[in-house]
Amino acid sequence: FKIFWTTKKKMSNTISLVESILKNGLKIGKHESNQIAKVVDSLESYDEMVSTVTESLNDNLKIKRSDLGVFLRCLRVDWEIIHFVSLFNHYLYSAENYGQIKKRYEAFHEYIYLQKLENCHDLRPLINGKEMLKELNMKAGPWLGKINEKAILWQLDNPGMAREDLL
């Protein structure tokens, strides 16, 4: 849930309700309130991703590495904090047996490390913007950001490949 929030009376800034309560109501610092809000706001989607990935592993289906990588990149370095908070939250509010919950979350956590996605938020395109412009003999523009996003997706789905393969 997002609300409008700004100190400059412009209506273009929105923050989550959780972040607003932390910043304005509880007077918690910006960094801490951003991190806590990210954790709280991500709990539902994280639990859904855990279920999706573990169900696909149980059914021997192949989940795209890039789908999981993009999800973790959005959470950035906080993904592991969110993992354990989500596990605890699911334990508190679910009628499901704790052993089943723990098994599913452990399998998900192990899968992230098995796929070497634990630091995927630090992944940079194999070819930077200047090199891409030179290779394609084009001028910079909004298209370059989209190309970089596609390069990251390709790298996530093709780990260990070289920049020549990307080109």
Side-chain angles (χ1 to χ4, degrees):
F1 185 68
K2 298 268 186 194
I3 62 169
F4 287 110
W5 180 84
T6 183
T7 56
K8 297 182 179 170
K9 304 289 184 222
K10 63 180 181 177
M11 298 300 282
S12 62
N13 285 344
T14 61
I15 61 172
S16 75
L17 180 59
V18 172
E19 190 173 354
S20 175
I21 291 169
L22 292 167
K23 281 182 179 176
N24 301 326
L26 298 175
K27 305 296 183 200
I28 294 177
K30 182 179 179 179
H31 176 73
E32 292 83 5
S33 60
N34 287 343
Q35 186 178 38
I36 295 167
K38 185 191 297 183
V39 169
V40 172
D41 293 339
S42 301
L43 290 177
E44 187 176 333
S45 62
Y46 195 89
D47 188 55
E48 288 172 8
M49 183 58 82
V50 169
S51 294
T52 300
V53 169
T54 54
E55 285 172 15
S56 70
L57 292 174
N58 291 339
D59 296 337
N60 292 322
L61 301 173
K62 185 78 171 161
I63 186 163
K64 283 181 71 175
R65 192 172 183 271
S66 60
D67 290 342
L68 182 55
V70 167
F71 178 76
L72 292 173
R73 283 174 64 82
C74 291
L75 302 178
R76 305 206 44 83
V77 72
D78 297 319
W79 79 265
E80 214 156 11
I81 294 169
I82 295 167
H83 177 84
F84 291 107
V85 172
S86 180
L87 168 64
F88 185 66
N89 184 65
H90 196 80
Y91 170 69
L92 288 176
Y93 297 108
S94 173
E96 196 176 355
N97 177 314
Y98 176 70
Q100 294 170 328
I101 298 168
K102 183 177 177 242
K103 184 178 177 183
R104 201 168 61 246
Y105 272 79
E106 282 178 346
F108 181 72
H109 195 264
E110 287 173 10
Y111 185 73
I112 290 171
Y113 278 88
L114 179 70
Q115 293 295 317
K116 295 182 171 72
L117 288 170
E118 67 273 11
N119 293 315
C120 68
H121 55 275
D122 291 331
L123 186 63
R124 300 286 170 249
L126 290 171
I127 304 170
N128 69 33
K130 288 182 181 182
E131 293 171 327
M132 184 69 72
L133 293 173
K134 186 177 176 182
E135 287 289 334
L136 298 174
N137 197 25
M138 295 179 72
K139 292 185 180 185
W143 65 270
L144 189 57
K146 292 178 178 141
I147 293 289
N148 283 337
E149 287 174 23
K150 294 218 182 269
I152 292 291
L153 287 175
W154 183 87
Q155 286 173 234
L156 287 167
D157 283 332
N158 299 282
M161 299 293 269
R163 69 188 300 275
E164 292 76 26
D165 299 315
L166 174 61
L167 279 172

